[in-house]
Amino acid sequence: ARVASDVLASLMPRVPAPLRMFVEFCVQHPEQTRSIDQVASLLGVHRRTLYAKTSAARLPPPFAIRSWCRVLLAVRLLERTN
């Protein structure tokens, strides 16, 4: 939980408002983000909505953002172990 909080604290000021719920979910629940369809369903939106929001924000597609959230979590975990 502490690692996710650290990642969110540094990441959220840079995330456009329409994508904050998606990014927050990906950081807080990486085990539930195996597919964008699953994430969309858990967030109560259609998969296409997530793609439209990332496109409108000129950001990579949802699967790439989900992957980067996982990378950021892993980096933070590694930083804490050193």
Side-chain angles (χ1 to χ4, degrees):
R2 172 79 178 156
V3 172
S5 296
D6 290 349
V7 170
L8 287 173
S10 63
L11 190 59
M12 292 310 272
R14 296 171 178 87
V15 175
L19 293 170
R20 288 186 183 148
M21 187 169 62
F22 169 64
V23 170
E24 186 173 351
F25 185 86
C26 289
V27 170
Q28 290 183 334
H29 307 284
E31 72 285 352
Q32 295 180 16
T33 63
R34 293 199 173 120
S35 76
I36 297 304
D37 286 335
Q38 180 183 21
V39 174
S41 176
L42 290 168
L43 292 175
V45 299
H46 194 279
R47 175 183 57 88
R48 290 182 182 157
T49 301
L50 294 177
Y51 279 88
K53 287 181 179 186
T54 57
S55 179
R58 295 185 172 179
L59 291 174
F63 68 86
I65 292 173
R66 177 202 60 202
S67 296
W68 277 108
C69 288
R70 290 178 177 179
V71 168
L72 291 170
L73 286 167
V75 167
R76 188 66 185 135
L77 279 170
L78 289 171
E79 288 175 345
R80 291 188 61 156
T81 59
N82 289 332

